[in-house]
PDB file of all heavy atoms in Angstrom:
ATOM      1  N   LYS A 118     -91.840 158.847  -5.154  1.00 93.00           N
ATOM      2  CA  LYS A 118     -92.515 158.860  -6.497  1.00 93.00           C
ATOM      3  C   LYS A 118     -91.460 158.589  -7.622  1.00 93.00           C
ATOM      4  O   LYS A 118     -90.276 158.779  -7.461  1.00 93.00           O
ATOM      5  CB  LYS A 118     -93.057 160.285  -6.612  1.00 93.00           C
ATOM      6  CG  LYS A 118     -93.967 160.834  -5.560  1.00 93.00           C
ATOM      7  CD  LYS A 118     -95.277 160.040  -5.487  1.00 93.00           C
ATOM      8  CE  LYS A 118     -96.280 160.629  -4.438  1.00 93.00           C
ATOM      9  NZ  LYS A 118     -97.656 159.899  -4.271  1.00 93.00           N
ATOM     10  N   SER A 119     -92.112 158.082  -8.686  1.00 93.00           N
ATOM     11  CA  SER A 119     -91.294 157.861  -9.933  1.00 93.00           C
ATOM     12  C   SER A 119     -91.129 159.103 -10.628  1.00 93.00           C
ATOM     13  O   SER A 119     -92.180 159.656 -11.150  1.00 93.00           O
ATOM     14  CB  SER A 119     -91.946 156.763 -10.796  1.00 93.00           C
ATOM     15  OG  SER A 119     -92.006 155.618 -10.134  1.00 93.00           O
ATOM     16  N   VAL A 120     -90.004 159.821 -10.678  1.00 94.00           N
ATOM     17  CA  VAL A 120     -89.730 161.087 -11.206  1.00 94.00           C
ATOM     18  C   VAL A 120     -89.081 160.837 -12.636  1.00 94.00           C
ATOM     19  O   VAL A 120     -88.148 160.227 -12.731  1.00 94.00           O
ATOM     20  CB  VAL A 120     -88.874 161.872 -10.301  1.00 94.00           C
ATOM     21  CG1 VAL A 120     -88.535 163.256 -10.895  1.00 94.00           C
ATOM     22  CG2 VAL A 120     -89.492 162.010  -8.969  1.00 94.00           C
ATOM     23  N   TYR A 121     -89.657 161.577 -13.565  1.00 95.00           N
ATOM     24  CA  TYR A 121     -89.101 161.571 -14.898  1.00 95.00           C
ATOM     25  C   TYR A 121     -88.676 163.017 -15.326  1.00 95.00           C
ATOM     26  O   TYR A 121     -89.414 164.037 -15.013  1.00 95.00           O
ATOM     27  CB  TYR A 121     -90.191 161.043 -15.868  1.00 95.00           C
ATOM     28  CG  TYR A 121     -90.775 159.738 -15.644  1.00 95.00           C
ATOM     29  CD1 TYR A 121     -91.720 159.477 -14.733  1.00 95.00           C
ATOM     30  CD2 TYR A 121     -90.204 158.600 -16.261  1.00 95.00           C
ATOM     31  CE1 TYR A 121     -92.163 158.164 -14.418  1.00 95.00           C
ATOM     32  CE2 TYR A 121     -90.643 157.425 -15.980  1.00 95.00           C
ATOM     33  CZ  TYR A 121     -91.648 157.125 -15.110  1.00 95.00           C
ATOM     34  OH  TYR A 121     -92.095 155.837 -14.800  1.00 95.00           O
ATOM     35  N   LEU A 122     -87.558 163.001 -16.124  1.00 93.00           N
ATOM     36  CA  LEU A 122     -86.993 164.421 -16.505  1.00 93.00           C
ATOM     37  C   LEU A 122     -86.997 164.456 -18.084  1.00 93.00           C
ATOM     38  O   LEU A 122     -86.968 163.353 -18.709  1.00 93.00           O
ATOM     39  CB  LEU A 122     -85.683 164.478 -16.060  1.00 93.00           C
ATOM     40  CG  LEU A 122     -85.360 164.364 -14.461  1.00 93.00           C
ATOM     41  CD1 LEU A 122     -84.023 164.594 -14.035  1.00 93.00           C
ATOM     42  CD2 LEU A 122     -86.272 165.519 -13.686  1.00 93.00           C
ATOM     43  N   PRO A 123     -86.964 165.526 -18.593  1.00 92.00           N
ATOM     44  CA  PRO A 123     -86.844 165.593 -20.194  1.00 92.00           C
ATOM     45  C   PRO A 123     -85.489 165.019 -20.515  1.00 92.00           C
ATOM     46  O   PRO A 123     -84.562 165.045 -19.984  1.00 92.00           O
ATOM     47  CB  PRO A 123     -86.984 167.083 -20.378  1.00 92.00           C
ATOM     48  CG  PRO A 123     -87.542 167.705 -19.187  1.00 92.00           C
ATOM     49  CD  PRO A 123     -87.089 166.763 -18.074  1.00 92.00           C
ATOM     50  N   SER A 124     -85.526 164.406 -21.799  1.00 88.00           N
ATOM     51  CA  SER A 124     -84.374 163.813 -22.296  1.00 88.00           C
ATOM     52  C   SER A 124     -83.419 164.887 -22.895  1.00 88.00           C
ATOM     53  O   SER A 124     -83.991 166.142 -23.143  1.00 88.00           O
ATOM     54  CB  SER A 124     -84.682 162.799 -23.377  1.00 88.00           C
ATOM     55  OG  SER A 124     -85.408 163.407 -24.471  1.00 88.00           O
ATOM     56  N   THR A 125     -82.282 164.633 -23.156  1.00 83.00           N
ATOM     57  CA  THR A 125     -81.337 165.563 -23.904  1.00 83.00           C
ATOM     58  C   THR A 125     -81.804 165.699 -25.354  1.00 83.00           C
ATOM     59  O   THR A 125     -82.498 164.865 -25.918  1.00 83.00           O
ATOM     60  CB  THR A 125     -79.849 165.034 -23.739  1.00 83.00           C
ATOM     61  OG1 THR A 125     -79.790 163.856 -24.381  1.00 83.00           O
ATOM     62  CG2 THR A 125     -79.425 164.921 -22.353  1.00 83.00           C
ATOM     63  N   ARG A 126     -81.252 166.805 -25.872  1.00 77.00           N
ATOM     64  CA  ARG A 126     -81.745 167.138 -27.274  1.00 77.00           C
ATOM     65  C   ARG A 126     -81.177 166.095 -28.304  1.00 77.00           C
ATOM     66  O   ARG A 126     -81.812 165.930 -29.395  1.00 77.00           O
ATOM     67  CB  ARG A 126     -81.299 168.587 -27.634  1.00 77.00           C
ATOM     68  CG  ARG A 126     -82.088 169.565 -26.924  1.00 77.00           C
ATOM     69  CD  ARG A 126     -81.844 170.975 -27.515  1.00 77.00           C
ATOM     70  NE  ARG A 126     -82.590 172.055 -26.744  1.00 77.00           N
ATOM     71  CZ  ARG A 126     -82.691 173.353 -27.041  1.00 77.00           C
ATOM     72  NH1 ARG A 126     -81.864 173.739 -28.092  1.00 77.00           N
ATOM     73  NH2 ARG A 126     -83.325 174.158 -26.403  1.00 77.00           N
ATOM     74  N   ASP A 127     -79.951 165.601 -28.024  1.00 81.00           N
ATOM     75  CA  ASP A 127     -79.386 164.615 -29.019  1.00 81.00           C
ATOM     76  C   ASP A 127     -79.847 163.289 -28.727  1.00 81.00           C
ATOM     77  O   ASP A 127     -79.297 162.388 -29.339  1.00 81.00           O
ATOM     78  CB  ASP A 127     -77.869 164.757 -28.957  1.00 81.00           C
ATOM     79  CG  ASP A 127     -77.362 164.561 -27.558  1.00 81.00           C
ATOM     80  OD1 ASP A 127     -78.185 164.540 -26.577  1.00 81.00           O
ATOM     81  OD2 ASP A 127     -76.121 164.442 -27.372  1.00 81.00           O
ATOM     82  N   SER A 128     -80.841 163.009 -27.806  1.00 85.00           N
ATOM     83  CA  SER A 128     -81.274 161.668 -27.446  1.00 85.00           C
ATOM     84  C   SER A 128     -82.561 161.376 -28.206  1.00 85.00           C
ATOM     85  O   SER A 128     -83.312 162.275 -28.432  1.00 85.00           O
ATOM     86  CB  SER A 128     -81.375 161.601 -25.863  1.00 85.00           C
ATOM     87  OG  SER A 128     -81.963 160.258 -25.618  1.00 85.00           O
ATOM     88  N   SER A 129     -82.643 160.073 -28.567  1.00 87.00           N
ATOM     89  CA  SER A 129     -83.934 159.664 -29.130  1.00 87.00           C
ATOM     90  C   SER A 129     -85.000 159.120 -28.079  1.00 87.00           C
ATOM     91  O   SER A 129     -86.012 158.515 -28.539  1.00 87.00           O
ATOM     92  CB  SER A 129     -83.646 158.548 -30.207  1.00 87.00           C
ATOM     93  OG  SER A 129     -83.017 157.481 -29.576  1.00 87.00           O
ATOM     94  N   ALA A 130     -84.703 159.379 -26.801  1.00 91.00           N
ATOM     95  CA  ALA A 130     -85.599 158.809 -25.854  1.00 91.00           C
ATOM     96  C   ALA A 130     -86.699 159.836 -25.522  1.00 91.00           C
ATOM     97  O   ALA A 130     -86.606 161.015 -25.824  1.00 91.00           O
ATOM     98  CB  ALA A 130     -84.824 158.658 -24.462  1.00 91.00           C
ATOM     99  N   LEU A 131     -87.789 159.368 -25.147  1.00 91.00           N
ATOM    100  CA  LEU A 131     -88.910 160.158 -24.767  1.00 91.00           C
ATOM    101  C   LEU A 131     -88.686 161.035 -23.574  1.00 91.00           C
ATOM    102  O   LEU A 131     -88.862 162.169 -23.444  1.00 91.00           O
ATOM    103  CB  LEU A 131     -90.209 159.275 -24.602  1.00 91.00           C
ATOM    104  CG  LEU A 131     -91.549 160.026 -24.183  1.00 91.00           C
ATOM    105  CD1 LEU A 131     -91.957 160.958 -25.342  1.00 91.00           C
ATOM    106  CD2 LEU A 131     -92.618 159.007 -23.931  1.00 91.00           C
ATOM    107  N   CYS A 132     -88.205 160.362 -22.482  1.00 92.00           N
ATOM    108  CA  CYS A 132     -87.884 161.075 -21.309  1.00 92.00           C
ATOM    109  C   CYS A 132     -86.756 160.204 -20.534  1.00 92.00           C
ATOM    110  O   CYS A 132     -86.395 159.133 -20.920  1.00 92.00           O
ATOM    111  CB  CYS A 132     -89.039 161.377 -20.438  1.00 92.00           C
ATOM    112  SG  CYS A 132     -89.988 159.892 -20.045  1.00 92.00           S
TER     113      CYS A 132
END
Side-chain angles (χ1 to χ4, degrees):
K118 305 290 184 180
S119 297
V120 179
Y121 300 85
L122 304 177
S124 61
T125 58
R126 291 193 179 183
D127 56 350
S128 174
S129 59
L131 178 63
C132 57

